[in-house]
Amino acid sequence: MVSIYTAHTTTYRYWHEVSLGPHRLMLRPRETRDLRLVSHALSIEPEASVTWAHDAAGNAIATATFDSQTDHLVIKSSSQIELSAPLWPVFAISASAIEYPFLYANDEWVDLGALTVPQHDDPGGRFSLWIEGFVAARPTDTLSLLTDISNGVSAQISYQSRESEGTQAPLETLDRGWGTCRDFAVLLAEAVRVLGFGARIVSGYLFDPGNALIGSGGPGSTHAWVEIFVPGAGWIAFDPTNRSVGGKNLIPVSVARDIRQVVPVAGSFAGANGALAGLDVEVAISIRDPDRVSGTEAWIDRPERKSS
């Protein structure tokens, strides 16, 4: 088990004072069997009224509302977590699901609902044909199939960071031959949904003490991957960008059917055209000494990821 500190800071600057609308914040890490949230603090400048709720997927949602005008907005989410995911996980898959194809139980099928339904158009069946190329036989080993598909995404698609907002559709990523971690995640989720699996997109951070992983470059240093539901094992994390299975290096913050639903910070402001002067996002992940002296924290090693 390792204790990790995360700090996610979003800073908006405006040319003149503006009125801020409500902001929806998805910044609190999700607790799982492999991740324990020891503490979490949210600080906002200017002062805001904050209410908390959970959405349909169980994500913790903070809504910040503001009373005064301002020429800046700083939102900082700080967490201490304990990550205990094994390096080589073993999944207790139900006997009925060890081989693909299999059928979800009726209750599972109903509860998974839209998570099993492809979300993008596939004119001419080109995407379905691509995904069928991974199914060597029927029946075939379920976990091996899912691993082959996840690894196949990064084998066939080159990783490139992209600062612009938005995500490529699966066919667009295949045609271009490159994408970001979020494009990889959307592609993998769509692929396994075509085969009938339940899948959800995960947004969070990479814990990368060796600086050997890819996929968290660019503004915010956030990362995206996929969880696939397999009976018995439950939700299994697949990171196609780094060809990994399990949550050893992954810190989940939010999960959803569509990647548009896991934006960390979303909100509005009222002001003149062109009022936004700049946006900076910084994510720092570190192992630190929990003993504090005079309100400061001693660093054991440098931040894992940091960008602006």
Side-chain angles (χ1 to χ4, degrees):
M1 181 177 67
V2 60
S3 294
I4 303 169
Y5 287 75
T6 69
H8 185 159
T9 306
T10 304
T11 303
Y12 295 90
R13 300 182 305 277
Y14 305 95
W15 292 114
H16 56 78
E17 289 193 341
V18 299
S19 297
L20 297 173
H23 279 60
R24 183 177 185 268
L25 314 177
M26 301 180 73
L27 296 168
R28 188 179 190 272
R30 286 175 62 95
E31 291 196 81
T32 69
R33 63 180 179 271
D34 297 324
L35 186 152
R36 186 172 81 90
L37 182 60
V38 178
S39 64
H40 177 257
L42 184 66
S43 63
I44 303 175
E45 183 184 332
E47 184 176 355
S49 175
V50 178
T51 58
W52 287 90
H54 285 87
D55 66 8
N59 300 305
I61 309 295
T63 301
T65 55
F66 305 86
D67 293 329
S68 60
Q69 291 191 323
T70 182
D71 61 1
H72 68 280
L73 171 61
V74 181
I75 301 168
K76 182 175 183 179
S77 172
S78 303
S79 302
Q80 179 188 357
I81 65 173
E82 292 179 347
L83 190 62
S84 59
L87 180 61
W88 303 106
V90 176
F91 303 105
I93 298 175
S94 297
S96 62
I98 289 177
E99 291 186 333
Y100 173 85
F102 65 87
L103 293 177
Y104 286 122
N106 288 338
D107 284 344
E108 291 172 337
W109 188 259
V110 172
D111 291 340
L112 290 170
L115 297 178
T116 65
V117 179
Q119 305 292 303
H120 300 269
D121 294 333
D122 183 19
R126 286 200 300 130
F127 189 76
S128 296
L129 184 63
W130 176 79
I131 189 60
E132 277 295 326
F134 291 96
V135 186
R138 284 180 167 83
T140 189
D141 182 79
T142 298
L143 187 58
S144 295
L145 172 62
L146 295 175
T147 303
D148 288 346
I149 297 171
S150 181
N151 292 345
V153 171
S154 57
Q156 297 186 32
I157 309 297
S158 299
Y159 174 81
Q160 292 186 23
S161 62
R162 186 176 68 249
E163 295 187 5
S164 59
E165 296 182 357
T167 306
Q168 297 173 174
L171 277 177
E172 185 179 6
T173 299
L174 287 181
D175 290 340
R176 290 183 175 181
W178 60 270
T180 66
C181 62
R182 60 186 186 268
D183 300 320
F184 283 26
V186 169
L187 177 60
L188 176 58
E190 187 75 358
V192 299
R193 286 169 178 166
V194 168
L195 295 179
F197 290 92
R200 59 190 187 186
I201 306 289
V202 190
S203 177
Y205 314 117
L206 272 178
F207 172 59
D208 182 18
N211 287 322
L213 303 177
I214 60 175
S216 64
S221 294
T222 56
H223 192 53
W225 62 96
V226 176
E227 289 180 349
I228 303 171
F229 188 81
V230 180
W235 293 104
I236 301 178
F238 289 85
D239 180 5
T241 305
N242 290 291
R243 303 190 187 191
S244 67
V245 181
K248 178 64 177 178
N249 297 99
L250 303 174
I251 302 172
V253 173
S254 53
V255 302
R257 170 184 52 82
D258 192 293
I259 199 164
R260 295 173 299 176
Q261 299 170 295
V262 292
V263 176
V265 177
S268 62
F269 69 89
N273 290 337
L276 181 63
L279 165 63
D280 293 307
V281 183
E282 180 182 275
V283 174
I285 301 176
S286 61
I287 304 172
R288 295 191 233 180
D289 188 341
D291 296 327
R292 303 188 179 192
V293 179
S294 300
T296 63
E297 295 174 339
W299 290 76
I300 290 178
D301 58 3
R302 61 187 174 78
E304 303 302 342
R305 298 285 180 179
K306 187 176 182 180
S307 71
S308 60

